[in-house]
């Protein structure tokens, strides 16, 4: 087996043994089930399937939960190995440093994928049980939500490596990860909202705002999943870009893809500077 | 044969601290070199240079003629750091198989390595359940898996009881017979139990001794102690005659240079009536080590 796959397999195994898989699956599943059940109470009057409504609320929740779980998985990746002395061992072997990061990335992504697939599956089964046959479209929407959640997770796993490779202590890396989460999924949106309120219908709202929204992978994720349900877009601040061509289609996902690649590259450079 | 490890006047400083100052050492294939020194003497810095983790400020470190730290050099070398904590939830076999794969060896080689260090029985247990000595042996298994040509072991016997320490040196001797070069560090000579073919001593970044243990013992010229157990009435007279110091009322201890020993013993032999027993105590390994690691650096550098 190649070194990259050996590292990936060990990380996935650790994720399972350390109960990370179980914990993140339970968290995601509990919230998914709650949202489906809440949705089943609200859809009485609306002509929308239960699953479609659930997807809208699930994607809003995932914007917060997925980055948090991803960062918790990855913040320890380098700093923790320095702490425990195992980084010296790994780097004494002939593997290249990028191989270490790519291996860890694949392993952590596998852990997150298991959790997302299981929780989405349970949500789908529950929605079908409550609502009868929801038809192929909402099921496709749920699959897209799960796939883009994995992509969103990939971004923040990679960003977590930057935090982990730039400090030597696990505690500092953890603080950095929490800061990144707050900034990316809470403060960034608040700042955008403030800008939007201040500028009204000005240049900011029409030309700059959509790009800033795309720039943040979490917002790009939300944009992609909400464009499926127009009602949800109207209800949120995202409605401002619904008319913009930027909000159309799958290429919105170029943002999280680019972020993932960029973050891994930066982390590789940072790891290259680590003197174990 | 060319040297496996060749350290050529390597110097390294961290800020104002000179961790290594012009250190030269060569280790031949199949040779075991014990590197001794206090904490902070520069042992770990030397290891980190040999692994390519840090660059020396001057001089060079070569592994089989290759620059230390390059990929080909890392293929030949294996490392056991002083402090390492393997993931508690992995089994011993999983840990060793993981490092085997990183070294490009088959995962199945883990079993043989675990057998060699005596962890065959415990291989399927999670290493969180291992005792301190078992964890140390697990680290050793990780180092020897994949048949490295050069072993760098930082304090490998700390935490081992005397019995496992003996097993450890037997294992190292077996590997050395197959041509593996071993560089191991230790706190003191007594821990080595005279098992290394060569001993080098670092003091504050300087190499103050390098040679076979017997040579270091001889060159140290430490005094020999002769302890004479006297008949109760004769302690006082013997003490007056030979000097030294009184112990427990009925013993006299005389210290002398190695070449005076025979003369004193001969003189004692003339007094059979007064003496119950004679004990000759050569300088202990710890004393030899203390001599080199504490003595005046100027004097030592020239020896």
């Amino acid at each position: 087996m190649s070194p990259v796959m050996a590292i990936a397999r060990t990380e996935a195994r650790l994720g399972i043994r350390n109960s990370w898989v179980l914990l993140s699956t339970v968290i995601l599943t509990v919230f998914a089930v709650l949202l489906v059940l809440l949705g089943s109470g609200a859809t009485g009057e609306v002509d929308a399937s239960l699953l479609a409504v659930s997807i809208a609320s699930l994607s809003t929740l995932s914007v917060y939960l997925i980055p948090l779980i991803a960062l918790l998985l990855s913040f320890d990746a380098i700093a923790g190995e320095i702490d425990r002395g195992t980084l010296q061992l790994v780097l004494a072997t002939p593997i290249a440093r990028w191989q270490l990061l790519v291996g860890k990335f694949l392993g952590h992504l596998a852990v997150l994928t298991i959790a997302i697939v299981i929780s989405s599956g349970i949500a789908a089964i529950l929605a079908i049980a409550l609502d009868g046959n929801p038809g192929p479209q909402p099921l496709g929407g749920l699959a897209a939500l799960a796939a883009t959640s994995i992509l969103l997770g990939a971004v923040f796993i990679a960003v977590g490596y930057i935090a982990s490779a730039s400090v030597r202590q696990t505690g500092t890396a953890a603080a950095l990860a929490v800061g990144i989460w707050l900034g990316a999924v809470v403060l960034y949106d608040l700042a955008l909202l403030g800008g939007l309120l201040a500028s009204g219908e000005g240049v900011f709202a029409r030309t700059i705002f959509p790009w800033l929204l795309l720039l943040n992978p979490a917002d790009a994720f939300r944009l992609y999943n909400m464009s499926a349900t127009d009602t949800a877009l109207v209800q949120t601040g995202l409605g401002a870009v619904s008319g913009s061509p930027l909000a159309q289609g799958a290429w919105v996902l170029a943002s999280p893809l680019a972020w993932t690649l960029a973050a891994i590259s930066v982390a590789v450079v940072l790891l290259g500077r680590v003197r174990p | 044969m060319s040297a496996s490890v060749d350290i050529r006047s390597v110097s390294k400083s961290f800020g104002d601290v000179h961790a290594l100052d012009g250190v030269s050492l060569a280790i031949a294939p199949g040779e075991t070199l014990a590197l001794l020194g206090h904490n902070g003497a520069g042992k770990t810095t030397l290891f980190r240079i040999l692994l390519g983790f840090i660059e020396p400020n001057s001089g060079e470190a070569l592994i089989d003629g290759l620059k230390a730290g390059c990929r080909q050099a890392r293929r030949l070398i294996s490392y056991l750091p002083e402090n390492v904590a393997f993931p508690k939830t992995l089994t011993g076999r999983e840990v060793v198989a993981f490092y085997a794969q990183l070294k490009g060896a088959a995962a199945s080689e883990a079993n043989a390595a675990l057998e060699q260090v005596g962890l065959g029985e415990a291989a399927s247990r999670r290493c969180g359940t291992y005792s301190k000595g078992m964890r140390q042996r697990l680290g050793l298994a990780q180092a020897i898996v994949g048949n490295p040509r050069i072993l760098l072991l930082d304090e490998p016997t700390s935490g081992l009881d005397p019995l496992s320490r003996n097993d450890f040196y037997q294992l190292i001797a077996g590997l050395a017979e197959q041509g593996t070069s071993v560089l191991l560090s230790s706190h003191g000579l007594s821990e080595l139990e005279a098992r290394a073919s060569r001993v080098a001593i670092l003091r504050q970044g300087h190499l103050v001794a390098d040679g076979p243990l017997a040579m270091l013992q001889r060159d140290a010229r430490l005094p020999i102690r002769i302890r004479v157990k006297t008949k109760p009435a004769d302690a006082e007279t013997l003490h007056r005659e030979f000097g030294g110091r009184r112990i427990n009322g009925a013993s006299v201890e005389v210290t002398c240079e190695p070449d005076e020993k025979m003369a004193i013993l001969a003189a004692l032999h003339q007094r059979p009536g007064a003496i119950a027993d004679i004990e000759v105590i050569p300088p202990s390994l710890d004393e030899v080590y203390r001599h080199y690691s504490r003595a005046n650096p100027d004097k030592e550098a020239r020896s």
Side-chain angles (χ1 to χ4, degrees):
Chain A
M1 204 191 302
S2 81
V4 172
M5 289 321 288
I7 295 166
R9 200 174 138 187
T10 300
E11 286 299 336
R13 187 176 268 156
L14 282 171
I16 292 166
R17 302 251 174 98
N18 296 341
S19 305
W20 264 113
V21 172
L22 184 69
L23 193 66
S24 37
T25 306
V26 166
I27 292 174
L28 288 175
T29 306
V30 163
F31 278 104
V33 165
L34 277 178
L35 288 176
V36 171
L37 290 177
L38 285 174
S40 74
T43 48
E45 307 297 315
V46 190
D47 184 26
S49 83
L50 172 57
L51 199 54
V53 173
S54 304
I55 288 168
S57 39
L58 271 175
S59 64
T60 303
L61 185 76
S62 298
V63 168
Y64 297 97
L65 270 187
I66 300 287
L68 189 64
I69 293 172
L71 285 166
L72 287 177
L73 273 174
S74 65
F75 81 89
D76 196 38
I78 306 299
E81 297 239 3
I82 294 176
D83 258 5
R84 292 187 291 275
T86 42
L87 189 68
Q88 291 195 327
L89 277 181
V90 171
L91 295 184
T93 69
I95 66 155
R97 297 196 181 192
W98 67 263
Q99 289 180 305
L100 173 63
L101 265 184
V102 171
K104 278 183 175 278
F105 177 75
L106 294 177
H108 286 145
L109 197 59
V111 168
L112 195 65
T113 302
I114 295 171
I116 289 173
V117 167
I118 292 178
S119 67
S120 307
I122 291 176
I125 290 167
L126 186 67
I128 291 168
L130 291 173
D131 200 23
N133 181 15
Q137 208 173 344
L139 276 180
L142 187 68
L145 175 66
T148 50
S149 293
I150 294 168
L151 181 60
L152 180 66
V155 175
F156 284 91
I157 287 172
V159 169
Y161 295 150
I162 297 181
S164 200
S166 48
V167 297
R168 287 187 83 90
Q169 270 86 33
T170 326
T172 326
L176 213 52
V178 170
I180 289 169
W181 179 79
L182 263 182
V185 308
V186 181
L187 299 179
Y188 190 89
D189 285 4
L190 283 179
L192 283 192
L193 196 62
L196 212 53
L197 289 174
S199 80
E201 289 294 306
V203 184
F204 178 79
R206 270 183 285 114
T207 55
I208 306 172
F209 175 71
W211 287 105
L212 286 178
L213 210 51
L214 263 188
L215 191 65
N216 186 330
D219 287 330
F221 163 85
R222 204 179 342 213
L223 208 53
Y224 176 82
N225 283 294
M226 292 222 171
S227 60
T229 39
D230 289 339
T231 45
L233 269 182
V234 176
Q235 285 159 10
T236 65
L238 294 168
V241 277
S242 61
S244 160
L246 278 174
Q248 306 300 315
W251 77 274
V252 171
L253 299 175
S255 166
L257 267 178
W259 269 100
T260 306
L261 292 176
I264 287 186
S265 309
V266 171
V268 167
V269 170
L270 286 173
L271 182 59
R273 290 191 190 156
V274 169
R275 301 271 159 260
Chain B
M1 235 194 278
S2 71
S4 291
V5 176
D6 197 358
I7 300 160
R8 296 178 181 167
S9 45
V10 160
S11 294
K12 176 73 188 173
S13 48
F14 301 101
D16 292 338
V17 183
H18 297 283
L20 289 174
D21 201 349
V23 171
S24 295
L25 264 180
I27 307 169
E31 189 175 30
T32 300
L33 174 68
L35 186 64
L36 268 57
H38 293 319
N39 287 328
K43 293 171 295 180
T44 301
T45 303
L46 196 62
F47 281 135
R48 290 173 74 203
I49 286 175
L50 288 174
L51 291 161
F53 294 162
I54 51 175
E55 295 273 326
N57 296 126
S58 64
E60 59 178 350
L62 300 175
I63 304 296
D64 207 28
L66 301 157
K67 188 178 181 300
C70 75
R71 205 164 190 172
Q72 286 90 334
R74 279 184 285 149
R75 277 186 211 289
L76 303 172
I77 217 162
S78 243
Y79 179 47
L80 173 63
E82 188 181 350
N83 293 310
V84 58
F86 296 110
K88 288 189 175 65
T89 54
L90 294 184
T91 66
R93 184 180 293 114
E94 284 166 345
V95 167
V96 180
F98 173 67
Y99 289 102
Q101 287 169 320
L102 295 195
K103 293 174 189 180
S108 53
E109 287 187 32
N111 291 326
L114 285 160
E115 287 292 341
Q116 267 185 291
V117 301
L119 282 179
E121 301 265 306
S124 305
R125 270 166 51 195
R126 294 189 175 192
C127 61
T129 66
Y130 285 11
S131 69
K132 194 178 178 213
M134 288 166 84
R135 287 202 297 270
Q136 192 71 15
R137 281 186 280 159
L138 179 63
L140 189 63
Q142 162 281 133
I144 63 175
V145 78
N147 294 316
R149 297 256 315 279
I150 299 158
L151 275 175
L152 299 184
L153 311 172
D154 202 353
E155 312 260 349
T157 55
S158 69
L160 292 187
D161 56 78
L163 208 64
S164 343
R165 201 184 288 168
N166 191 55
D167 292 344
F168 165 80
Y169 282 115
Q170 248 166 19
L171 175 66
I172 294 298
L175 293 169
E177 267 171 38
Q178 294 160 29
T180 310
S181 305
V182 183
L183 175 61
L184 62 92
S185 76
S186 181
H187 272 310
L189 269 177
S190 54
E191 277 209 19
L192 297 176
E193 295 168 359
R195 303 299 275 272
S197 48
R198 219 174 100 208
V199 175
I201 300 177
L202 274 177
R203 186 183 54 224
Q204 292 171 350
H206 293 267
L207 194 66
V208 292
D210 177 10
L213 190 53
M215 190 189 99
L216 299 192
Q217 272 174 310
R218 201 178 57 230
D219 289 358
R221 298 200 55 78
L222 290 175
I224 290 165
R225 284 178 294 161
I226 300 170
R227 190 172 290 179
V228 185
K229 195 171 180 196
T230 64
K231 301 277 165 61
D234 298 308
E236 190 57 41
T237 36
L238 276 172
H239 183 232
R240 237 180 285 129
E241 197 174 327
F242 290 93
R245 61 193 181 102
R246 295 275 303 273
I247 301 171
N248 296 340
S251 286
V252 176
E253 190 178 272
V254 182
T255 52
C256 66
E257 292 287 307
D259 39 11
E260 297 167 347
K261 181 177 74 179
M262 288 317 291
I264 293 175
L265 286 177
L268 286 168
H269 202 67
Q270 304 301 314
R271 306 285 305 272
I275 293 166
D277 193 18
I278 295 181
E279 210 182 340
V280 178
I281 307 165
S284 73
L285 292 175
D286 273 332
E287 285 171 307
V288 174
Y289 172 60
R290 270 204 298 276
H291 167 79
Y292 284 103
S293 57
R294 273 192 194 153
N296 175 11
D298 290 335
K299 192 184 114 198
E300 289 309 318
R302 285 185 215 112
S303 71

